[in-house]
Amino acid sequence: MVMASILSISSSVCLSLSAAKKSEVQEPSSCSIDVERRKMLVSSVAIIAVPALRGKDYGKTKMRYPDYTETESGLQFKDLRPGYGPKPNKGDTVVVDWDGYTIGYYGRIFEARNKTKGGSFEGDEKDFFKFRIGYQEVIPAFEEAVSGMALGGIRRIIVPPELGYPDNDFNKSGPRPTTFSGQRALDFVLRNQGLIDKTLLFDIELLKIIPT
């Protein structure tokens, strides 16, 4: 379905995993393949580290990605492919394809369907994730990102913890990893009490809009 991420933050976005090339990324069949994939994802996004304020976040940094657009909420996004159709309205049901990565912590993959990005929409809707716009069925960052997308578009978003999963629990709000290994990878980061970066990265493709 869709893919990407980060760790030892290198220079500019070499992670131009263009829509059409997503199919080249295969599900890791061994530890070494997984390590290589992480290296590629991790070196993907150039950032500017801004010192955090004192308090519970003291010592951490807020990452800003210079080639991404930042919204008032703090969401950062980049369109890998602009959409060609209408945008969803409140109450519409949207069908999306997505990938997810814990880019703030070793670029761990927690959802990667390996479907060619930008390909034709085939198969049953039940094979994809869908939700209603404006009903708080997904994390704030996901809803904000999709609400501003046009049909057929592919958008990459950088999600700070405050726009992510409520109470660090992916069971309370979508999208939810579809595999046990993905759930375990995401849960480890979300529930970790140490000073680890809980920033996430999602690749989202808007496949269909079902009007109210």
Side-chain angles (χ1 to χ4, degrees), residues 81-204:
R81 185 184 70 188
Y84 54 80
K87 294 181 179 180
N89 297 310
K90 184 176 180 179
D92 289 347
T93 295
V94 292
V95 181
V96 302
D97 191 5
W98 67 284
D99 288 343
Y101 303 85
T102 61
I103 60 170
Y105 187 74
Y106 294 103
R108 291 186 174 183
I109 304 162
F110 60 88
E111 182 73 6
R113 298 171 183 261
N114 292 322
K115 178 182 178 294
T116 302
K117 258 190 183 172
S120 59
F121 176 33
E122 300 176 350
D124 196 300
E125 284 173 18
K126 68 179 188 224
D127 296 327
F128 298 91
F129 179 66
K130 59 183 178 180
F131 66 94
R132 293 176 299 170
I133 296 291
Y135 282 78
Q136 299 182 329
E137 295 176 349
V138 293
I139 60 175
F142 212 85
E143 175 138 9
E144 180 181 350
V146 175
S147 296
M149 294 176 66
L151 184 65
I154 300 173
R155 177 168 288 186
R156 175 167 294 155
I157 62 174
I158 307 295
V159 182
E162 60 270 22
L163 297 178
Y165 293 94
D167 301 321
N168 291 323
D169 187 350
F170 60 74
N171 290 303
K172 292 186 175 182
S173 189
R176 185 174 185 269
T178 56
T179 66
F180 175 74
S181 60
Q183 292 169 15
R184 184 172 59 180
L186 179 58
D187 191 61
F188 174 81
V189 170
L190 294 181
R191 295 185 181 278
N192 194 295
Q193 297 301 309
L195 293 178
I196 68 173
D197 189 346
K198 292 178 170 58
T199 302
L200 304 175
L201 180 148
F202 291 90
D203 278 350
I204 309 167

Side-chain angles (χ1 to χ4, degrees), residues 26-38:
Q26 301 298 319
E27 184 67 23
S29 58
S30 70
C31 194
S32 62
I33 292 177
D34 189 53
V35 169
E36 287 306 310
R37 177 191 275 175
R38 288 182 188 175

Side-chain angles (χ1 to χ4, degrees), residues 48-69:
I48 299 173
V50 180
L53 299 176
R54 292 181 179 275
K56 65 182 180 63
D57 291 324
Y58 180 66
K60 296 184 184 179
T61 56
K62 173 180 172 59
M63 304 304 182
R64 288 180 179 165
Y65 303 77
D67 55 338
Y68 282 61
T69 298

